[in-house]
Amino acid sequence: MKVYSESEQIREHISRWKSNKDKIVLVSTMGHLHKGHASLIELAKSLGQCVVVSIFVNPLQFNQESDFAHYPRTLDTDIAQLQALNVDAVFTPHTESLYPHGIQSAPKILIPELTEEFDGRFRPGHFEGVCTIVCKLFNILTPDVAVFGNKDYQQLLIIRRMVNELNFHINIVAGKTEREADGLAMSSRNTHLSPKQRELAHHLYSNLERVKKQFSIETISLLETSAYSHLEKHSMRVEYFNIRDAINLQPISDSTREIVVLAAAWLGETRLIDNILFPMP
Ligand code: PAF
């Protein structure tokens, strides 16, 4: 497994693979790898011959400097894990090479329809920063396929739309959310939870599951408001908990075929997000 931090060098390596007609599959990450990433990598291995993992904590997508500063960085253990997972190449670019004119001058890609609500509303500028970095990684690494987790469902839809709007010839594949035994979605941020908060954290997913079970029995607004009050009772500060059409994130309508319930809540200083998908009954 080769680790590159220079774009030119990994480009050269990738062009050799491409001349052999090998399919390149990208898993982009911000590091602090866990089982959720491992399952995206296993999926990536089944989709092509060469798996490239990028590790870059992208300053442009953090709307709070303290969040960026505290984001866990564990490069050495990440690289050891990637080696054990038989990844073909790792890309760990430097900030200055990705943003040669500084963060403030970086171009931002807007996908207005899908970014107004949810994380787009509560983390202003976040998705513009995600789109910019993903676009840069796509241009440098030229993957045939890129895998993104379903856990960041709004991000997944936005990246799909960006690929479509900007004519990237890249197949976007969604990987399933890995969960702890109590249902908590795996996330690099879970390490910030205190033992007491960790005990409460499963309530986010149990409320999503409750909506799925009760969908045909209760109204949408009752399902949403009772999730809010249940979560707040368990010390969570809810940012959003909404039942939407999974294709476009709009309210449920007659044309809805699949439903997504999107949720974000704070437990102390830690922000958790999660979702559940299910077909319209
Ligand atoms: O989902 C993430 O970890 C990040 O948003 C991504 C896609 C790696 C871009 O920095």
Side-chain angles (χ1 to χ4, degrees):
M1 184 184 83
K2 286 264 199 181
V3 181
Y4 295 97
S5 51
E6 303 299 332
S7 307
E8 284 318 310
Q9 288 175 4
I10 194 159
R11 251 186 225 279
E12 214 179 284
H13 193 146
I14 288 175
S15 65
R16 267 183 272 133
W17 280 332
K18 290 220 163 186
S19 59
N20 287 339
K21 304 250 176 303
D22 286 339
K23 219 183 212 183
I24 316 292
V25 189
L26 170 66
V27 181
S28 46
T29 79
M30 298 207 298
H32 198 51
L33 304 178
H34 49 70
K35 277 197 208 144
H37 295 107
S39 98
L40 298 183
I41 290 165
E42 290 304 337
L43 174 62
K45 290 205 284 197
S46 72
L47 299 169
Q49 290 73 39
C50 301
V51 173
V52 179
V53 174
S54 64
I55 302 180
F56 180 64
V57 185
N58 174 35
L60 199 61
Q61 71 186 74
F62 286 81
N63 56 318
Q64 280 175 358
E65 248 174 61
S66 59
D67 191 21
F68 175 63
H70 289 121
Y71 200 84
R73 288 158 171 88
T74 50
L75 191 58
D76 292 346
T77 50
D78 290 345
I79 288 177
Q81 282 188 59
L82 295 175
Q83 181 95 53
L85 286 165
N86 276 323
V87 162
D88 298 283
V90 183
F91 184 45
T92 58
H94 299 299
T95 308
E96 310 76 54
S97 66
L98 287 182
Y99 297 113
H101 304 285
I103 305 300
Q104 302 307 329
S105 317
K108 298 202 173 96
I109 296 162
L110 299 172
I111 310 284
E113 267 170 47
L114 293 170
T115 50
E116 269 155 27
E117 291 186 273
F118 313 116
D119 273 23
R121 174 168 163 231
F122 287 97
R123 303 183 67 190
H126 169 67
F127 286 123
E128 286 87 326
V130 169
C131 286
T132 300
I133 189 63
V134 171
C135 200
K136 283 171 179 281
L137 293 170
F138 284 176
N139 282 325
I140 297 167
L141 304 169
T142 61
D144 301 287
V145 182
V147 175
F148 291 89
N150 244 327
K151 170 168 177 286
D152 297 304
Y153 187 75
Q154 189 178 14
Q155 168 174 284
L156 174 71
L157 290 193
I158 289 167
I159 289 170
R160 282 215 164 108
R161 178 72 69 88
M162 178 184 80
V163 161
N164 182 256
E165 291 280 2
L166 298 183
N167 308 90
F168 280 107
H169 191 58
I170 299 174
N171 182 17
I172 304 297
V173 175
K176 78 173 189 13
T177 304
E178 291 296 319
R179 298 186 179 280
E180 304 288 354
D182 64 355
L184 174 65
M186 290 191 186
S187 162
S188 306
R189 293 175 194 273
N190 293 351
T191 45
H192 293 317
L193 296 168
S194 70
K196 178 88 192 94
Q197 290 166 344
R198 177 60 194 85
E199 266 176 37
L200 295 167
H202 72 92
H203 286 288
L204 193 59
Y205 187 57
S206 52
N207 275 273
L208 293 169
E209 279 190 307
R210 182 179 177 278
V211 171
K212 181 177 168 185
K213 272 199 210 108
Q214 301 291 101
F215 186 80
S216 308
I217 302 164
E218 290 173 28
T219 65
I220 287 179
S221 71
L222 185 62
L223 287 166
E224 287 177 348
T225 49
S226 56
Y228 264 78
S229 51
H230 190 257
L231 290 170
E232 308 230 314
K233 221 184 283 162
H234 290 93
S235 309
M236 292 200 196
R237 186 161 56 77
V238 182
E239 277 187 348
Y240 58 81
F241 190 105
N242 290 104
I243 303 169
R244 291 296 175 97
D245 186 312
I247 300 288
N248 52 22
L249 307 185
Q250 292 301 306
I252 305 298
S253 72
D254 290 346
S255 59
T256 303
R257 297 281 167 271
E258 191 167 27
I259 293 164
V260 63
V261 190
L262 298 161
W266 289 86
L267 249 179
E269 297 299 305
T270 306
R271 185 174 187 270
L272 303 174
I273 70 168
D274 203 352
N275 65 76
I276 197 166
L277 285 158
F278 56 95
M280 185 79 166

